[in-house]
Amino acid sequence: DIQMTQSPSSLSASVGDRVTITCRASQSISSYLNWYQQKPGKAPKLLIYAASSLQSGVPSRFSGSGSGTDFTLTISSLQPEDSGTYYCQQSYSILITFGQGTRLEIK
Amino acid sequence: QVQLQESGPGLVQPSQTLSLTCTVSGGSISSGSPYWSWIRQPAGKGLEWLGRMSTSGSTNYNPSLKSRVTISVDKSKNQFSLKLSSVTAADTAVYYCARDPSSGWPYFDYWGQGALVTVSS
C-alpha cells in the first residue's frame, strides 16, 4: 500500500492568513494526488485533482503543487467557510489511499 | 448535474451481510465509462476506499477486505451496490458512494451524502 502522511494534523489560523497543508507519499506517485475538503456531517468535496488542477467551481484561493512524493495544498487568503478537514488522496495505485486528514480551525 | 444517493439498512447484525445501493440520477451510469466506488468513514476517523467497478464489469477491491466485499452494477436501474459479508462492529461507519469520471486522472468528483451503518445485535 502507498501510505499518505499529512501534516499538520490540525491547525488554527485567522481569516486572511495563508495556510499550507502538506502531504507526503511513501513512494513516488507522479502527480496522481487529489485534495478534498470535508465539513462535519457532509461528504468530501473535491478541490484539486492531478496535484495542481482546480476543480470547477472551487475558489481560486485554493491551489495545489508538488509531484513525486511531496505535495502541498495552499489557501492564499483564509475565509471563514474554509474550516473543515482536508484530505489528500493518491490514485497512482489501484489501491486508492487517503491521508489521515488535517483539521483546519478558524481563530 | 449528477447526483448519488445511498440507501439500505442502517442496522446490521454481526456476522450478517451489509448491503447498500447507490442510485445515480442526472445522467446514465454508463455515460463516459466512469468507475463507481464505495468509500467508508468510521466516526471521527479517516476515509477508507473499499473498491470500485466500471460499467464494463471490471472490479478492483481493497485487499484488506477483498474476501468480504462485492460491488455490482445494475445499468437498467442506474444503480450500483455494495455487499460486505461477515460484518463486525469494526465495519460500523458512514458509507459513501462516489464517481470517478475516468478522465485519465482518477479522482472522485461526485459523492453521495453518506449512509450510516451500525453493526450491532
Side-chain angles (χ1 to χ4, degrees):
Chain A
D1 303 7
I2 298 176
Q3 307 300 318
M4 307 301 294
T5 303
Q6 292 182 228
S7 61
S9 296
S10 64
L11 75 153
S12 180
S14 300
V15 171
D17 283 354
R18 182 181 182 90
V19 170
T20 298
I21 298 169
T22 65
C23 179
R24 175 165 289 178
S26 60
Q27 67 181 73
S28 177
I29 57 171
S30 183
S31 294
Y32 289 89
L33 191 284
N34 309 313
W35 290 97
Y36 300 84
Q37 175 196 62
Q38 187 178 35
K39 302 275 190 178
K42 300 294 186 181
K45 172 188 173 183
L46 178 67
L47 300 175
I48 301 287
Y49 65 94
S52 60
S53 295
L54 190 68
Q55 172 68 350
S56 176
V58 174
S60 59
R61 63 180 180 273
F62 290 92
S63 64
S65 65
S67 67
T69 60
D70 294 313
F71 302 86
T72 60
L73 173 71
T74 299
I75 308 173
S76 61
S77 179
L78 192 66
Q79 299 301 303
E81 61 268 29
D82 298 336
S83 65
T85 302
Y86 291 80
Y87 293 94
C88 63
Q89 172 242 321
Q90 66 79 21
S91 52
Y92 179 83
S93 165
I94 287 178
L95 174 51
I96 291 166
T97 51
F98 293 85
Q100 82 279 11
T102 294
R103 182 169 295 182
L104 174 57
E105 173 192 88
I106 311 296
K107 287 180 183 175
Chain B
Q1 177 82 345
V2 174
Q3 293 186 319
L4 285 69
Q5 175 79 51
E6 304 91 349
S7 60
L11 180 64
V12 181
Q13 294 202 340
S15 80
Q16 299 301 302
T17 297
L18 178 159
S19 295
L20 291 173
T21 296
C22 183
T23 300
V24 179
S25 59
S28 168
I29 198 169
S30 300
S31 178
S33 301
Y35 283 94
W36 300 97
S37 280
W38 287 95
I39 296 157
R40 70 180 180 181
Q41 185 174 37
K45 297 189 177 180
L47 299 158
E48 180 183 28
W49 176 79
L50 305 182
R52 70 177 187 179
M53 186 169 195
S54 72
T55 49
S56 65
S58 66
T59 55
N60 302 102
Y61 297 123
N62 190 322
S64 69
L65 296 163
K66 184 172 183 177
S67 61
R68 298 197 293 133
V69 65
T70 303
I71 297 174
S72 59
V73 167
D74 186 336
K75 288 185 276 189
S76 68
K77 294 183 178 180
N78 238 34
Q79 295 176 335
F80 65 107
S81 299
L82 169 73
K83 291 189 185 297
L84 183 64
S85 63
S86 305
V87 297
T88 69
D91 295 310
T92 294
V94 174
Y95 285 76
Y96 295 101
C97 56
R99 186 189 85 158
D100 165 9
S102 190
S103 64
W105 293 97
Y107 53 79
F108 302 115
D109 59 351
Y110 288 101
W111 295 65
Q113 86 283 359
L116 174 61
V117 179
T118 302
V119 178
S120 175
S121 56

